[in-house]
Amino acid sequence: MATFLYKLGRLSFRRRHFVALIWVALLTLAGVGAASAPAAGNSSFSIPGTEAQKAFDLLEQRFPGTSADGATARVVFKAPSGEKMTDPGNKATVQDTVKELSDGSEVVRVTDPYRAKAVSKDGTIAYAQVSYKVSGMELDDAAKDALEDSAQDARKAGLTVEIGGDALQAVPHTGSSEVIGIAVAAVVLVITFGSLVAAGLPLLTALIGVGIGVSAITGLASALDLGTTTSTLAMMIGLAVGIDYALFIVSRYRAELAEGREREEAAGRAVGTAGSAVVFAGLTVVIALVGLSVVNIPMLTKMGIAAAGTVAIAVLIALTMVPALLGYAGRRVKPMGEKGKLLGRTAKQKPERPNLGTRWASFVVRRPLAVLLLGVIGLGAAAVPATSLELGLPDDGSQPTSTTQRRAYDLLSEGFGPGFNGPLMVVVDAKNSDDPKAVFTETGDAIKGLKDVVTVTPAQPNKAGDTATITVIPGSKPSSVTTENLVHGIRDAGADIKAGTDAGVLVTGSTAMNIDVSEKLNDALVPYLVLVVGLAFLLLIVVFRSILVPLKAALGFLLSVMAALGAVVAVFQWGWLSGLMGVEQTGPVMSMMPIFMVGVVFGLAMDYEVFLVTRMREAYVHGEKPAQAVVTGFRHGARVVTAAAVIMMAVFAGFIGSSESMVKMIGFGLAIAVFFDAFVVRMAIVPAVLALLGRTAWWLPKWLDRALPNVDVEGEGLRAASGDDDGDRELVRV
């Protein structure tokens, strides 16, 4: 592989005009496609195989035209202090609003609060429910404007009016902190390279790669039903890995220049060595992201594949466009150790003492057991909150208090109880029953006898009379464990009813769907870990030609991801530092957070493992003792890996300012995970373990050594071809 990439790097350097033209053409083509493609909103949320989804599908079949997955809006009215919603003036205002809301072309129906008995016991709060034919993100702007205008007219009459539900879903924004993250990355690059030109190359190539990836996602969003969160996460991951991959190649290029090589030769060797590590690091990220498809949640699968595509583009750009731009930059990219005028040094300076990476590695090698214990205990302490992990999906109760959705949620809780925001819909399929009406009655009575049930509405049968819906209002809020227990209680009661009457009882609604998603994700976590870690483990055996090094890499990843989950629980569930992170409402961690974090963090963790440890193995196979090889790897790679980690943390942390709670949580989780993995696991635990293992770390059974393909990540073939091997250093067979 190193030889092929070496040739590719030289070709890209030499034919830089052609390479640059291809990438600019791809960026233009993707941009035109994105601009001309129809707009798309959030992807449809379906969970194949869950009971809640089966109930939705049954409703579509037995209640045609009811738009079971259509948008809903709850217009909540509160009377002025000292007044009631039943007062003539307030009642007239509400009825005028209901009439106004009914005029929309996409409106299916609007309930009158006074006919539907949707007035609180104290008479101060009432609500009207609006049902639409299409989902919230498919709703026309005119329909949303009409909804808001109707609420504003009622406010002018003196009522407090707020709108809940998903009809006013908005496209999330990331805020200015995303730009700050990129700015921090730029500063780190300037400090690392000491040159604006060298620092600008990784930023430019990463932005081009992300531009192509996100534009392609935008262009295909409508056809493939991709949501806005998909492009946001692809941007987040694409920026981080795009900058890092280019950083490693530019750094290796400068190191090759410092050894006296011509620029084209240096570019070829940089791509042949660091580029090999980029390919395998990118493969681990792609495996982890594509592996999300095993969960069988379409939205998560699309997010993973889209992000994996962006990572693949970042790898290709690093291998081709980076050497091409190095050709354009010429002498403005200085050799390693020679700074540009930006930092006030123009002559090559040899350091008088070992760099920080060398000094740190030497310290770890001298005291490996103490460093290992300190790192493991520290990460273990950070992981303690993860034992209290509660999973759920966000509802309006997790929205900022500044939003009308959150204020409507609070008003409904005040007037009707916390469970009113998460009603359960029970679908009774009595098609195979002899007496459907009796089954409907029996089901309602059984539900009334369960704990935490406040209200059970009479069964509403369809025209055929073989299927009915029953609405159940829990006594607890939607995200509580008590409500989850109620859902399971209804399903257990339904199983008893089915045994006696052959009628099916299904529980659905957003609350039941959230519970089913959480359980599905929990069930998929172990198979996903086995698949992703197993495939990556095999890949790393090929890269490092060792059993224990990949095993150590996987165990270190588990430590860092558990510590990161502990930090997420502490901030988003317990509320520690929530004000600093802009978390206005604590609650359960999003259901898909653990499995998504596992996928992404594993891929990124293997990035640093590959980049750092390949340098160690490179030194070891060329004759250095195991402990000295660890120090050599840090001397060449620690600074660059540190810069890459800081950049990645800055990019991820930039998304903490997002208005989308899922993006905010993932941004924080990935940033803290990179910190734990790069600075505790890879910089402390990894060298400590390698120092303790010695030559055993690089052991590989002879039969396996013969069976494995030689991918030559270290560029051994390049040295042999050019006669660069030192005469006094014997190549070690590992």
Side-chain angles (χ1 to χ4, degrees):
M1 175 177 285
T3 304
F4 169 76
L5 293 178
Y6 164 77
K7 294 178 181 178
L8 178 63
R10 293 196 62 169
L11 178 65
S12 299
F13 186 96
R14 190 167 56 251
R15 304 296 184 190
R16 49 187 171 272
H17 302 309
F18 180 68
V19 172
L21 182 62
I22 289 177
W23 284 112
V24 170
L26 288 174
L27 178 61
T28 303
L29 182 64
V32 171
S36 59
N42 282 2
S43 58
S44 58
F45 192 76
S46 63
I47 314 295
T50 61
E51 180 172 317
Q53 187 63 47
K54 292 176 182 176
F56 268 124
D57 296 340
L58 184 64
L59 285 173
E60 290 286 350
Q61 178 185 349
R62 303 286 176 83
F63 292 81
T66 57
S67 302
D69 59 348
T72 59
R74 278 182 170 176
V75 183
V76 188
F77 306 90
K78 184 175 183 179
S81 179
E83 298 182 17
K84 302 283 188 181
M85 288 305 304
T86 52
D87 293 346
N90 294 334
K91 186 174 182 178
T93 300
V94 171
Q95 289 177 330
D96 289 342
T97 304
V98 169
K99 183 178 179 182
E100 190 176 343
L101 289 169
S102 303
D103 293 336
S105 60
E106 293 182 325
V107 175
V108 176
R109 63 182 175 275
V110 181
T111 61
D112 186 319
Y114 304 100
R115 294 181 179 178
K117 298 181 180 179
V119 180
S120 63
K121 291 182 179 179
D122 62 4
T124 60
I125 297 174
Y127 73 92
Q129 181 154 314
V130 187
S131 301
Y132 294 90
K133 299 176 182 177
V134 296
S135 66
M137 294 307 294
E138 295 172 324
L139 205 58
D140 288 342
D141 290 338
K144 296 181 180 181
D145 292 341
L147 181 61
E148 292 176 325
D149 291 343
S150 299
Q152 188 59 36
D153 291 340
R155 291 189 187 106
K156 291 177 181 178
L159 298 177
T160 298
V161 186
E162 305 295 346
I163 305 171
D166 58 355
L168 292 183
Q169 281 185 359
V171 176
H173 62 274
T174 55
S176 59
S177 55
E178 177 189 345
V179 179
I180 295 174
I182 297 176
V184 171
V187 172
V188 173
L189 287 169
V190 170
I191 294 174
T192 303
F193 292 134
S195 164
L196 287 175
V197 175
L201 287 179
L203 279 176
L204 177 61
T205 54
L207 289 173
I208 291 174
V210 167
I212 294 173
V214 173
S215 296
I217 291 170
T218 304
L220 297 172
S222 179
L224 301 181
D225 193 23
L226 304 177
T228 53
T229 304
T230 302
S231 58
T232 303
L233 294 176
M235 181 191 303
M236 180 193 303
I237 296 170
L239 269 177
V241 300
I243 294 174
D244 277 9
Y245 294 165
L247 167 64
F248 285 112
I249 290 180
V250 173
S251 297
R252 188 62 183 248
Y253 171 76
R254 296 177 70 233
E256 297 293 338
L257 288 179
E259 294 183 9
R261 293 189 173 86
E262 294 296 327
R263 294 187 176 273
E264 182 178 330
E265 177 70 11
R269 284 179 172 266
V271 176
T273 52
S276 297
V278 166
V279 169
F280 282 98
L283 274 175
T284 59
V285 180
V286 169
I287 287 172
L289 291 170
V290 173
L292 291 170
S293 59
V294 303
V295 184
N296 196 27
I297 295 180
M299 184 182 74
L300 196 59
T301 300
K302 293 171 186 176
M303 286 165 54
I305 292 176
T310 307
V311 171
I313 293 172
V315 171
L316 292 174
I317 283 186
L319 299 178
T320 56
M321 192 170 188
V322 169
L325 293 181
L326 289 172
Y328 283 117
R331 298 187 179 277
R332 283 169 289 188
V333 176
K334 307 291 183 183
M336 186 76 72
E338 182 178 340
K339 302 291 183 179
K341 296 180 180 179
L342 183 66
L343 296 183
R345 289 186 288 177
T346 56
K348 184 177 179 180
Q349 299 180 355
K350 293 185 178 180
E352 297 180 356
R353 61 173 184 164
N355 61 23
L356 182 60
T358 302
R359 298 197 301 274
W360 169 250
S362 299
F363 170 80
V364 174
V365 168
R366 288 195 304 270
R367 299 173 178 83
L369 187 59
V371 172
L372 175 61
L373 291 176
L374 185 62
V376 171
I377 292 172
L379 290 178
V384 168
T387 58
S388 301
L389 177 67
E390 295 178 8
L391 298 178
L393 288 178
D395 54 21
D396 286 345
S398 62
Q399 297 270 8
T401 53
S402 58
T403 62
T404 186
Q405 291 95 331
R406 171 60 186 279
R407 292 195 294 265
Y409 181 98
D410 292 340
L411 284 176
L412 287 171
S413 295
E414 177 188 340
F416 302 93
F420 199 78
N421 284 292
L424 305 175
M425 180 179 289
V426 179
V427 182
V428 185
D429 179 9
K431 189 172 185 178
N432 297 326
S433 175
D434 296 332
D435 190 353
K437 290 184 178 180
V439 172
F440 301 154
T441 302
E442 181 183 350
T443 303
D445 292 340
I447 295 172
K448 289 177 183 177
L450 298 175
K451 294 181 180 179
D452 200 47
V453 173
V454 174
T455 305
V456 178
T457 64
Q460 302 292 322
N462 61 351
K463 291 183 179 179
D466 58 5
T467 308
T469 59
I470 299 173
T471 301
V472 180
I473 306 297
S476 304
K477 63 181 182 179
S479 58
S480 69
V481 176
T482 307
T483 301
E484 181 178 349
N485 292 336
L486 174 60
V487 170
H488 290 302
I490 296 174
R491 288 173 174 169
D492 291 341
D496 294 337
I497 292 172
K498 183 175 180 62
T501 64
D502 204 24
V505 178
L506 305 173
V507 185
T508 188
S510 59
T511 301
M513 182 70 80
N514 291 351
I515 292 170
D516 286 352
V517 170
S518 298
E519 292 179 351
K520 191 177 182 71
L521 288 167
N522 283 337
D523 293 342
L525 185 57
V526 172
Y528 175 70
L529 268 173
V530 171
L531 173 68
V532 172
V533 176
L535 288 175
F537 180 78
L538 295 175
L539 183 65
L540 292 179
I541 289 178
V542 174
V543 174
F544 296 127
R545 307 193 78 78
S546 163
I547 297 293
L548 296 180
V549 171
L551 180 61
K552 172 263 307 168
L555 293 177
F557 150 74
L558 292 176
L559 276 175
S560 59
V561 79
M562 288 303 298
L565 277 175
V568 169
V569 170
V571 173
F572 291 89
Q573 187 175 312
W574 290 1
W576 294 4
L577 301 178
S578 57
L580 181 64
M581 298 297 167
V583 180
E584 296 191 23
Q585 180 68 29
T586 59
V589 173
M590 269 177 298
S591 302
M592 64 181 64
M593 183 68 190
I595 199 164
F596 190 84
M597 181 181 283
V598 164
V600 176
V601 174
F602 182 79
L604 301 181
M606 294 307 104
D607 278 3
Y608 300 122
E609 181 76 14
V610 169
F611 288 127
L612 197 59
V613 180
T614 48
R615 274 290 189 151
M616 298 177 190
R617 184 178 186 277
E618 184 177 347
Y620 178 71
V621 299
H622 286 89
E624 291 189 8
K625 294 181 178 179
Q628 183 57 39
V630 171
V631 176
T632 300
F634 268 75
R635 181 171 69 247
H636 291 295
R639 179 173 179 170
V640 178
V641 169
T642 299
V646 172
I647 289 169
M648 196 170 281
M649 288 167 57
V651 173
F652 288 148
F655 288 83
I656 295 175
S658 173
S659 63
E660 178 70 32
S661 58
M662 176 179 174
V663 175
K664 180 191 292 287
M665 190 178 292
I666 289 178
F668 171 80
L670 294 183
I672 198 68
V674 168
F675 172 78
F676 287 142
D677 196 85
F679 294 106
V680 181
V681 174
R682 309 303 153 188
M683 292 290 184
I685 294 178
V686 165
V689 171
L690 291 177
L692 288 171
L693 291 176
R695 294 184 182 276
T696 308
W698 306 105
W699 171 79
L700 185 71
K702 292 183 178 180
W703 64 268
L704 185 57
D705 188 24
R706 291 190 297 268
L708 290 177
N710 184 12
V711 295
D712 190 17
V713 176
E714 300 84 11
E716 180 183 312
L718 298 180
R719 291 183 179 83
S722 60
D724 283 356
D725 288 313
D726 297 336
D728 59 342
R729 297 174 73 182
E730 181 181 356
L731 203 64
V732 177
R733 185 67 176 171
V734 295

